């Protein structure tokens, strides 16, 4: 849901106080019932810090909110935002980041890197005050994290598909009633599907300006393997 700025709101973000000034008013505009639920907002900006949009990404319960990483960046991609700020409230009034808060920030940093969209901060707010991951150095720590690889969701899908191929291959081998031709056909189809996924991912990453070397690292394959796919598409 798109959040409209009022005439009192700044259009440029110069610091965390500007973010909180806007989002505090947004939170207080909600009715009392909704204020008791966790909200997750995304502020999208251009490189100069001009606000392109403020989007309510998710509305959760009184103590948590579910986040789908690609939904977080959906509007950012459509509106060509190059920098984003994540904001969510704690109805309890506590400003202590939970492990879940840290974990989703870690994941979103990595997804943003692949999309060339910088997640520059994450604010936890209440009606009276806020905390900034950047100001407390937590953002710096998470930016160094290796827990998640870029485009982890796509890579995870590919890995699951590869595991499925291995399981089905084993099942085929155990099934003595299947012919060698059927085995070969099933294996070929699965390999082609996995290869198709890889091609789609490689092309998407190339279009985002990701280098061949980084793509190879993300997918766990050789640079030559990536170049072969690129060559086929040329």
């Amino acid at each position: 849901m798109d959040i409209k700025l009022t005439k009192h709101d700044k259009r440029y973000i110069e610091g965390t106080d500007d973010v909180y000034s806007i989002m505090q008013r947004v939170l207080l505009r909600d009715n009392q019932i909704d204020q008791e639920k966790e909200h997750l907002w995304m502020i999208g900006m251009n490189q100069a810090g001009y606000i392109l949009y403020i989007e309510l990404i998710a509305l959760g319960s009184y103590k948590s909110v579910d986040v789908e990483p690609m939904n977080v960046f959906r509007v950012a991609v459509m509106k060509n935002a190059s920098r984003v700020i994540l904001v969510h409230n704690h109805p309890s009034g506590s400003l202590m980041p939970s492990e879940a808060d840290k974990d989703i920030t870690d994941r979103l940093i990595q997804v943003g890197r692949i999309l060339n969209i910088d997640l520059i901060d994450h604010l936890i707010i209440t009606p009276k005050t806020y905390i900034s991951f950047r100001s407390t150095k937590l953002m710096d720590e998470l930016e160094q994290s290796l827990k998640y690889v870029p485009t982890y969701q796509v890579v995870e899908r590919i890995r699951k598909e590869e595991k499925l191929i291995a399981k089905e291959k084993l099942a085929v081998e155990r099934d003595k009633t299947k012919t060698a031709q059927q085995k070969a056909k099933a294996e070929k189809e699965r390999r082609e599907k996995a290869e198709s996924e890889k091609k789609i991912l490689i092309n998407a990453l190339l279009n985002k300006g990701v280098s061949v070397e980084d793509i190879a690292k993300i997918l766990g394959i050789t640079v030559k393997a990536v170049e072969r796919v690129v060559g086929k598409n040329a």
Side-chain angles (χ1 to χ4, degrees), residues 79-100:
K79 299 200 174 184
N80 292 318
S82 60
R83 308 166 74 203
V84 293
I85 296 175
L86 195 65
V87 182
H88 85 280
N89 66 310
H90 275 181
S92 66
S94 170
L95 294 177
M96 182 66 68
S98 68
E99 289 305 312

Side-chain angles (χ1 to χ4, degrees), residues 181-196:
Q181 183 178 7
Q182 288 175 318
K183 293 180 184 179
K185 182 179 178 181
E187 185 176 346
K188 181 181 177 182
E189 288 176 350
R190 288 300 181 182
R191 284 180 178 174
E192 287 177 349
K193 186 174 180 180
E195 187 67 20
S196 176

Side-chain angles (χ1 to χ4, degrees), residues 9-104:
D9 295 322
K10 293 179 63 175
R11 261 50 179 184
Y12 284 89
I13 298 296
E14 297 178 301
T16 53
D17 286 344
D18 292 335
V19 179
Y20 179 63
S21 177
I22 295 170
M23 298 313 300
Q24 180 190 40
R25 285 196 286 272
V26 170
L27 180 62
L28 292 176
R29 285 206 299 262
D30 281 337
N31 59 51
Q32 187 62 40
I33 294 176
D34 281 343
Q35 285 181 30
E36 295 304 314
K37 299 176 182 178
E38 281 204 10
H39 301 59
L40 181 75
W41 298 275
M42 179 70 88
I43 302 176
M45 302 168 291
N46 63 18
Q47 201 61 33
Y50 182 83
I51 298 175
L52 301 175
Y53 71 91
I54 300 176
E55 182 85 1
L56 176 62
I57 303 296
L59 180 63
S61 66
Y62 72 96
K63 64 177 181 179
S64 67
V65 59
D66 292 329
V67 182
E68 177 62 35
M70 292 314 298
N71 285 343
V72 173
F73 285 98
R74 174 180 53 83
V75 179
V77 171
M78 291 192 300
K79 299 200 174 184
N80 292 318
S82 60
R83 308 166 74 203
V84 293
I85 296 175
L86 195 65
V87 182
H88 85 280
N89 66 310
H90 275 181
S92 66
S94 170
L95 294 177
M96 182 66 68
S98 68
E99 289 305 312
D101 294 338
K102 298 176 187 177
D103 189 69
I104 190 59

Side-chain angles (χ1 to χ4, degrees), residues 125-175:
I125 69 172
T126 71
K128 295 182 179 180
T129 187
Y130 75 95
I131 187 174
S132 158
F133 280 35
R134 180 69 65 188
S135 298
T136 59
K137 308 298 182 182
L138 181 55
M139 204 70 183
D140 297 337
E141 177 185 328
L142 293 172
E143 286 172 343
Q144 300 302 315
S145 171
L146 300 177
K147 183 175 181 179
Y148 294 104
V149 296
T151 58
Y152 75 95
Q153 286 186 317
V154 180
V155 173
E156 186 177 75
R157 257 201 332 266
I158 294 172
R159 288 175 176 169
K160 285 182 179 179
E161 183 63 27
E162 290 173 339
K163 289 180 180 178
L164 180 60
I165 294 170
K167 288 181 180 179
E168 291 193 357
K169 181 181 178 181
L170 180 60
V172 169
E173 291 174 349
R174 289 176 175 173
D175 187 353

